[in-house]
Amino acid sequence: RMWWPMQDYFNLVNVRDASIPFDDNYSCTGVLGILKKFKSRDFSRICTGLTNREIRAGIIDIWLNRDYKRYAQATGHTDLTVADWQPADQMRMYIRKDVAAQIWNYGVGPSEPTVVQDPTQGKVITLPADLILDANQNPALTLKSPRSLAFASNGTFYVADSLNHRILHLDTAGNLLQQWGTFADGVASPAPPGGFNEPWGVAVGPDGSVYVTDTWNHRVQKFTPNGTPLKQWGIYGLAETPDAFYGPRGIAVDSQGRVIVADTGNKRIVVFDADGNSITSFGSGGLDPGQFDEPVGVAVDAEDRIYVVDTWNQRIQTFVLAEDGVSYVPDKMWDVYGWFGQSLDNKPFIAVNAEKHVFITDPEGYRVMEFTGTGELLRVWGDYGTDPTGFGLTSGIAVSPDGHVWVTDPALNRILRFTLPE
């Protein structure tokens, strides 16, 4: 690559022509005659560059050796140093995180590599699903990229059947109770209630109401338990207002009926009341506590503590209500040895059980991870596979009232139930 200080070569023509000899006998007139075919906007600058011995030698030093000292002296930029050089167009190199993790730690050069201890070693168990719901059952359950799922207090549950653009209401045997939703693209014009464009998140409120993040219609919809539309709010936006969403994913409802939405693209969490009125929001892009990079799954525990999947920061953050009873403040935070990829499918969800154990999906790791409420890793299960112990991908996760862990597999279009070992 060629380094050129000050980038003062802009708007010059390409003079790398073998027919132009670089010697001291070239006159400015002769050069201009040859360069007419290049349609240069500034012949005088090109003439100077080709006929001045020192500038010409400096250009060659830059091309061949990345050495611009002679060019700097010839053009009067004698105070130019590498530290002072600020090109107009910065160049960046991007390395996928899972590849970089095999080479060096973030922020540490490869000359001093640090071995990262895998905290999952010794924590992996084999745990087969004891129930699988999919197209092979009778009657068949035909799913297409199922994502989040959420349980009602009566033990039935709802599934965001994302690419079928619908919500399913099932009993725990996999029997279909209700379904609703059709495709609706609300970008060009407002989508009707009950229409979806890839719903990713679903949650159930304390009164049984069902809330759905209609992801690419950039809105939240509220329904009765049997699917009758009640409310909707949200528009596409970059967080100009509380309901200006950019691809909302996770959603949860606490014991007071507050609706917590992961506004993924805007790197924030937004909190509403049960009717969609804004209460508060928190978060921004960054690495500090309370900041996010791709927040996706959200969950609440019995004390209304909020748990957030901070995907590309590879950590879980928790938040509690501040003394004012309205805003939220950071509580705990711990790293996740997972979520290395950054594909569209690497969107993990989270669930919390009655003991405050935290369960997350590691989509492209084909596994589930279980932590204590303080971040201690307890166990990991899953691998790539199509049998009851494997996943094609992991996505949504929920804990039923009877303590079973349910996981959606959007690659194999199935829902799996696991019974935790004692």
Side-chain angles (χ1 to χ4, degrees):
R1 287 196 176 26
M2 181 178 69
W3 295 0
W4 197 305
M6 314 307 289
Q7 293 190 321
D8 55 359
Y9 61 92
F10 278 7
N11 297 321
L12 297 182
V13 299
N14 181 4
V15 297
R16 291 190 298 173
D17 191 311
S19 65
I20 302 177
F22 288 90
D23 60 39
D24 293 332
N25 298 321
Y26 240 89
S27 68
C28 189
T29 301
V31 170
L32 293 179
I34 292 175
L35 291 178
K36 284 181 180 179
K37 65 180 180 179
F38 291 112
K39 299 181 181 180
S40 170
R41 297 178 181 176
D42 190 347
F43 286 166
S44 63
R45 292 179 64 202
I46 299 171
C47 175
T48 300
L50 292 178
T51 59
N52 184 294
R53 177 197 298 268
E54 292 303 314
I55 291 179
R56 192 168 67 237
I59 291 172
I60 293 173
D61 278 353
I62 293 171
W63 282 349
L64 298 182
N65 305 316
R66 297 181 179 179
D67 182 353
Y68 58 83
K69 291 189 294 293
R70 191 168 183 177
Y71 178 84
Q73 292 172 353
T75 57
H77 297 300
T78 55
D79 59 343
L80 185 63
T81 66
V82 173
D84 296 332
W85 176 35
Q86 295 293 328
D89 294 318
Q90 299 285 348
M91 291 183 292
R92 299 176 175 86
M93 180 175 69
Y94 297 91
I95 302 175
R96 214 173 70 185
K97 286 185 178 180
D98 56 334
V99 174
Q102 300 176 45
I103 304 173
W104 64 79
N105 287 339
Y106 180 77
V108 180
S111 59
E112 297 180 3
T114 301
V115 177
V116 178
Q117 181 66 37
D118 182 353
T120 67
Q121 291 182 359
K123 304 292 180 71
V124 179
I125 65 171
T126 300
L127 184 62
D130 52 22
L131 179 64
I132 297 177
L133 308 180
D134 61 9
N136 296 318
Q137 70 184 61
N138 187 21
L141 182 63
T142 305
L143 302 165
K144 190 173 183 181
S145 208
R147 298 294 180 178
S148 180
L149 67 166
F151 279 85
S153 59
N154 62 4
T156 64
F157 66 102
Y158 298 86
V159 181
D161 191 12
S162 181
L163 291 184
N164 277 327
H165 311 288
R166 64 180 180 173
I167 299 299
L168 302 181
H169 185 197
L170 306 171
D171 67 19
T172 53
N175 298 307
L176 183 63
L177 301 176
Q178 285 108 17
Q179 62 174 314
W180 67 88
T182 57
F183 175 75
D185 184 357
V187 175
S189 60
F196 299 111
N197 189 351
E198 288 192 39
W200 275 66
V202 62
V204 180
D207 64 350
S209 297
V210 179
Y211 298 83
V212 180
T213 50
D214 185 6
T215 299
W216 297 119
N217 283 329
H218 310 285
R219 65 180 180 177
V220 174
Q221 296 195 62
K222 178 182 179 180
F223 302 89
T224 65
N226 61 6
T228 301
L230 295 174
K231 296 274 185 179
Q232 63 181 39
W233 65 90
I235 57 173
Y236 169 73
L238 301 179
E240 300 91 344
T241 60
D243 64 346
F245 298 129
Y246 184 9
R249 296 304 206 298
I251 189 168
V253 185
D254 71 10
S255 65
Q256 304 303 309
R258 288 177 290 238
V259 182
I260 299 102
V261 180
D263 186 9
T264 304
N266 286 323
K267 305 181 191 302
R268 64 174 183 164
I269 303 297
V270 193
V271 184
F272 302 89
D273 68 16
D275 293 321
N277 300 303
S278 173
I279 297 176
T280 188
S281 66
F282 56 92
S284 62
L287 294 167
D288 292 336
Q291 294 184 314
F292 306 108
D293 191 359
E294 201 74 359
V296 179
V298 293
V300 293
D301 64 19
E303 297 176 355
D304 290 338
R305 179 180 287 103
I306 297 175
Y307 298 74
V308 180
V309 164
D310 189 6
T311 310
W312 291 343
N313 282 330
Q314 294 176 284
R315 64 187 180 184
I316 294 167
Q317 295 194 64
T318 70
F319 299 84
V320 295
L321 272 172
E323 292 183 358
D324 61 13
V326 176
S327 57
Y328 288 82
V329 294
D331 176 37
K332 298 181 179 67
M333 179 172 63
W334 65 87
D335 293 335
V336 172
Y337 190 79
W339 306 338
F340 293 110
Q342 295 196 8
S343 77
L344 292 176
D345 280 328
N346 190 5
K347 306 296 182 188
F349 285 88
I350 187 169
V352 184
N353 70 4
E355 289 74 36
K356 296 183 183 176
H357 286 195
V358 179
F359 301 85
I360 62 168
T361 52
D362 183 11
E364 293 166 358
Y366 318 107
R367 60 186 180 178
V368 174
M369 307 174 79
E370 179 185 358
F371 299 87
T372 66
T374 57
E376 178 189 353
L377 182 62
L378 295 177
R379 53 193 163 200
V380 180
W381 72 89
D383 202 347
Y384 181 78
T386 58
D387 64 12
T389 65
F391 301 99
L393 202 69
T394 57
S395 185
I397 189 165
V399 180
S400 61
D402 61 4
H404 288 102
V405 176
W406 296 69
V407 180
T408 60
D409 184 339
L412 299 179
N413 295 311
R414 62 184 187 173
I415 303 168
L416 302 92
R417 187 188 74 181
F418 298 91
T419 301
L420 297 176
E422 295 295 333

